[in-house]
DNA sequence: AATAATATTGTTACAATATAACATAACTCT
DNA sequence: AGAGTTATGTTATATTGTAACAATATTATT
């Protein structure tokens, strides 16, 4: 994420939190900024290291608490297959997103594909299952890496 | 999994490995048996504890190596969202499966839903993405737990 | 059968991810 | 100001997973 988009994103996040009357504290904002700036999924301890450059006494709970908040607000997603965190690319409302994860370059693209969601709902329904959350992570090679390799 | 189905499953696994000319050693079989017998996803260290009842000197690598083998053979799946392992319920060939995970009772149902797979392929394709693996885990409440609750 | 190559297991130590528990500080509301 | 709530500080620890190297067992080759 370039610095202009980053600034826009953080501003949007701030306004979103204001509307919801939840507190995007400086610390939470800093964690969000670290994640968004990286543009790729980042591990909690990687976040911690960067945070400690500004706040030397930050500890694991500092990061995990901020992550909990940011995930609740739909500003950050956790990628279960990577145990890493990614800024949402369209943080409108509560949603899970579906992810294309490139094993070569590590970049991730978030989608919100209606057809995928529908197929999941139908399958769950058929099984008499009441769906709360969906985790969809597709591993492979992105377009750029495909071209480079072949 | 009841003991009859368990025996069938283990026998089938054995024949599968024989056909493939890979070695389902006693240790690997024991790990598979522990996972299959539990009928629910089990953590690696839970497996280790049970394994140690028979093999007191089993250590984490013992379990993780067996898990690697069993996953390669498609006999066991890893659930990324739970960091736990589950015996495959139809171990025919290489496949990933899609999972309905009940947050109440912890039971998991494995599906192989063609429509889900197709929708993932289409979405990946549209994004110019070359799909290797798919991770689909649906969290919610199973039919039984729904009835009990409501 | 002896040898070499490969695959599996044993063993120790450690890395990486995440949480519990309790104290302190800040904010909000009356 | 005081009480209740939310957020942060701090220490310790739980949980999950690997690295590295030695010892055994299996398989293939002579
Ligand atoms: Zn999103
Ligand atoms: Zn790529
Ligand atoms: Zn399966
Ligand atoms: Zn259930």
């Amino acid at each position: 994420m370039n610095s202009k988009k980053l600034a826009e994103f953080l501003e949007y996040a701030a306004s979103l939190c204001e509307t919801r009357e939840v507190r995007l504290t400086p610390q939470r904002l800093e964690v969000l900024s670290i994640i968004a700036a990286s543009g790729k999924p980042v591990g909690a301890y990687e976040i911690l290291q960067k945070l400690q450059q500004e706040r030397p006494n930050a500890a694991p709970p500092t990061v995990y608490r901020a992550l909990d908040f940011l995930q609740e607000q739909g500003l950050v997603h956790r990628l279960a297959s990577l145990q890493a965190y990614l800024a949402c690319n369209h943080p409108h409302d509560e949603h899970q997103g579906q992810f294309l994860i490139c094993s070569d370059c590590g970049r991730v693209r978030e989608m919100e594909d209606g057809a995928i969601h529908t197929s999941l709902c139908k399958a769950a329904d058929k099984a008499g299952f009441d769906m709360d959350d969906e985790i969809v992570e597709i591993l492979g090679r992105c377009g750029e890496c495909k071209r480079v390799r072949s």
Side-chain angles (χ1 to χ4, degrees), chain A:
Chain A
M1 209 181 276
N2 64 43
S3 80
K4 191 185 164 199
K5 278 205 173 177
L6 175 60
E8 275 176 25
F9 175 72
L10 295 179
E11 191 131 354
Y12 180 67
S15 73
L16 206 67
C17 288
E18 201 167 3
T19 306
R20 293 176 186 169
E21 296 186 319
V22 295
R23 294 170 53 202
L24 185 58
T25 62
Q27 200 160 147
R28 289 166 173 172
L29 181 60
E30 228 170 308
V31 170
L32 179 59
S33 172
I34 288 168
I35 299 171
S38 98
K40 298 208 288 190
V42 282
Y45 279 73
E46 199 180 335
I47 296 169
L48 178 57
Q49 279 200 334
K50 292 186 181 168
L51 186 61
Q52 281 174 335
Q53 291 172 10
E54 303 300 317
R55 302 170 178 265
N57 55 352
T62 316
V63 172
Y64 282 104
R65 285 165 180 162
L67 287 173
D68 284 348
F69 172 85
L70 296 168
Q71 284 175 271
E72 275 168 22
Q73 299 306 320
L75 294 167
V76 161
H77 298 291
R78 180 176 190 270
L79 299 174
S81 63
L82 302 179
Q83 296 180 185
Y85 304 84
L86 181 71
C88 178
N89 66 352
H90 35 47
H92 44 78
D93 252 326
E94 216 189 329
H95 71 290
Q96 263 109 25
Q98 302 128 1
F99 302 92
L100 298 169
I101 302 173
C102 180
S103 306
D104 271 20
C105 66
R107 270 175 297 201
V108 175
R109 170 160 171 188
E110 179 178 351
M111 308 182 288
E112 267 195 287
D113 188 288
I116 292 176
H117 181 71
T118 303
S119 69
L120 295 181
C121 286
K122 276 188 188 165
D125 224 53
K126 207 163 56 181
F129 191 93
D130 222 15
M131 174 165 136
D132 289 337
D133 301 338
E134 58 184 72
I135 293 173
V136 176
E137 299 179 17
I138 300 175
L139 309 176
R141 246 189 316 284
C142 74
E144 284 191 46
C145 290
K146 225 164 56 180
R147 251 171 277 138
V148 172
R149 271 237 177 154
S150 63

